[in-house]
Amino acid sequence: MASLFDPVTFGAVTCPNRIVMAPLTRARATREHVPTELMKTYYAQRAGAGLIITEATGISRQGLGWPYAPGLWTMEQVEAWKPVTEAVHEAGGRIFCQLWHMGRLVHPSFLDGEKPVSASATTAPNKAHTYDGRQPYEEARALALDEIPDILDDYARAAGHAIAAGFDGVQLHAANGYLIDQFLRDGSNHRDDDYGGPVENRIRLLRQATRAIADVVGPERTAVRLSPNGESQGVNDSDPEALFTAAAAVLDEIGIAFLELREPPLDGTFGKGEREPIAPAIRKVFHGPLVLNSDYSAARAEEALSEGVADAISFGRPFIANPDLPRRIESGAEWAKDDPSTWYSQGPEGYIDYPEAEAAAAA
């Protein structure tokens, strides 16, 4: 069976190992959502991953409500991403861009006071990150049927921009309670039209967005992320196994490069699953490469690969403080601990100043 250091092919991209860097919001772009020089250094430092998936990247101003997060809807943003992808490639890496519409999780302060959009008129729990601190979410308005083609166009345009910026592919963010997930799950989708009600309707936007992206970049450069096994930012479903196996079967038909599943264990440290992972059921209907994520140690990752449960493992938070994570796993070196207070700060501290294992040991 496979190990973490065997190569793996994701559609058009062959990776030297099966250690994927998961998407991590880090808030180092400008206020206009333009990538910065710091981001070039950060991603190049982590090019030892078999594949990097970028932080979630906005497809439109309507869809982006996180301070200092990057976007891909303007040519200025495209040009600013180019040095990032070039630096990763020069360091021997491969990089996909994760495409993001936050739906109801966009605070109106990002929209000049307009309402955010979602599957239905619902309000997310807790508070949003804004440029003026944490503020309560406000009720979203339901997308009208005649607005959905514009959303699909935004996904397609951003995918084309990603390839123009030098990315090897893109990942559709359909997880964690954001727009696509808000349509998928019956806890947030109360529609009675072609996008609501039965599972086949609720997966319609996922299918259409994935096809819109694949039509531009090719299914072999298109990936998707789902989060099946519990509540996420107030979004949940009454029958997640039926929903997510149907979603995975549709993605299998499209022939995407890989499917990533974020499924925290029942005793997870950053989110807890409400039930055992749905990945085994998804494995039966999705025949492409399957990437699993959340709370994996090196030993647990190797076990998942050796048992054939997954084809690769994505690591998120460990990559924050361990830019050389694959080398640390291979050598058995200790993993450094990250500082959560710098996760979303704007400077180099806690971003590009974590040393590699050899430098840390010599200090």
Side-chain angles (χ1 to χ4, degrees):
M1 301 300 289
S3 77
L4 285 172
F5 292 94
D6 287 331
V8 63
T9 298
F10 296 137
V13 180
T14 298
C15 307
N17 63 61
R18 295 171 185 241
I19 299 168
V20 175
M21 179 175 164
L24 293 159
T25 295
R26 301 305 310 278
R28 260 64 176 198
T30 71
R31 199 167 171 131
E32 291 71 40
H33 308 293
V34 177
T36 60
E37 187 76 12
L38 278 177
M39 293 168 61
K40 168 185 168 182
T41 302
Y42 169 77
Y43 283 113
Q45 287 175 340
R46 289 153 179 79
L51 175 69
I52 293 170
I53 306 173
T54 69
E55 62 208 281
T57 300
I59 62 168
S60 65
R61 186 165 294 282
Q62 179 199 64
L64 184 55
W66 192 285
Y68 301 105
L72 252 181
W73 67 86
T74 71
M75 292 314 298
E76 183 183 9
Q77 292 162 346
V78 173
E79 291 301 316
W81 272 116
K82 287 181 179 179
V84 178
T85 61
E86 288 169 3
V88 169
H89 291 148
E90 287 172 3
R94 297 140 191 84
I95 184 167
F96 273 40
C97 185
Q98 189 187 62
L99 303 182
W100 198 23
H101 191 302
M102 296 173 63
R104 72 180 190 174
L105 293 164
V106 177
H107 190 268
S109 62
F110 290 89
L111 304 172
D112 297 325
E114 292 186 12
K115 279 180 171 282
V117 299
S118 186
S120 302
T122 59
T123 306
N126 304 317
K127 294 184 177 181
H129 290 268
T130 78
Y131 288 114
D132 298 311
R134 301 297 294 272
Q135 297 190 51
Y137 288 106
E138 297 188 16
E139 185 181 69
R141 65 174 180 82
L143 274 167
L145 281 175
D146 62 4
E147 293 180 289
I148 289 177
D150 291 336
I151 301 286
L152 299 175
D153 287 346
D154 288 339
Y155 276 116
R157 185 180 304 108
H161 283 173
I163 298 304
F167 285 100
D168 298 296
V170 299
Q171 183 188 63
L172 172 62
H173 195 346
N176 299 3
Y178 295 112
L179 181 68
I180 302 291
D181 210 14
Q182 292 160 28
F183 270 80
L184 286 173
R185 306 209 223 188
D186 58 18
S188 51
N189 185 338
H190 308 148
R191 302 174 74 99
D192 59 6
D193 57 18
D194 287 347
Y195 290 86
V199 164
E200 58 266 30
N201 284 355
R202 285 185 279 123
I203 65 176
R204 190 180 307 276
L205 184 63
L206 170 67
R207 177 196 293 115
Q208 290 177 329
T210 305
R211 286 199 183 277
I213 291 168
D215 284 347
V216 173
V217 306
E220 70 279 6
R221 295 188 185 275
T222 302
V224 174
R225 181 181 238 222
L226 299 172
S227 52
N229 75 330
E231 181 272 339
S232 186
Q233 303 196 87
V235 172
N236 212 340
D237 194 78
S238 61
D239 190 356
E241 184 165 330
L243 169 64
F244 285 101
T245 53
V250 161
L251 299 174
D252 187 67
E253 291 174 10
I254 295 172
I256 62 172
F258 67 89
L259 173 60
E260 183 191 17
L261 304 177
R262 180 182 182 270
E263 293 201 277
L266 298 175
D267 59 351
T269 62
F270 195 67
K272 298 180 186 297
E274 296 177 357
R275 50 160 293 158
E276 293 295 335
I278 298 172
I282 287 174
R283 189 73 156 164
K284 294 176 182 177
V285 299
F286 182 79
H287 305 102
L290 190 64
V291 180
L292 299 186
N293 168 263
S294 204
D295 275 300
Y296 277 90
S297 63
R300 185 168 162 248
E302 287 286 12
E303 181 181 3
L305 295 184
S306 67
E307 292 179 354
V309 175
D311 299 294
I313 302 296
S314 67
F315 297 84
R317 285 167 294 140
F319 264 108
I320 292 176
N322 300 277
D324 57 339
L325 183 65
R327 288 206 299 275
R328 289 183 189 241
I329 292 174
E330 192 168 30
S331 68
E334 184 179 358
W335 294 6
K337 303 235 182 288
D338 60 286
D339 177 5
S341 71
T342 62
W343 282 359
Y344 310 127
S345 55
Q346 278 68 70
E349 182 182 358
Y351 190 60
I352 61 171
D353 59 351
Y354 287 109
E356 296 186 355
E358 295 83 354

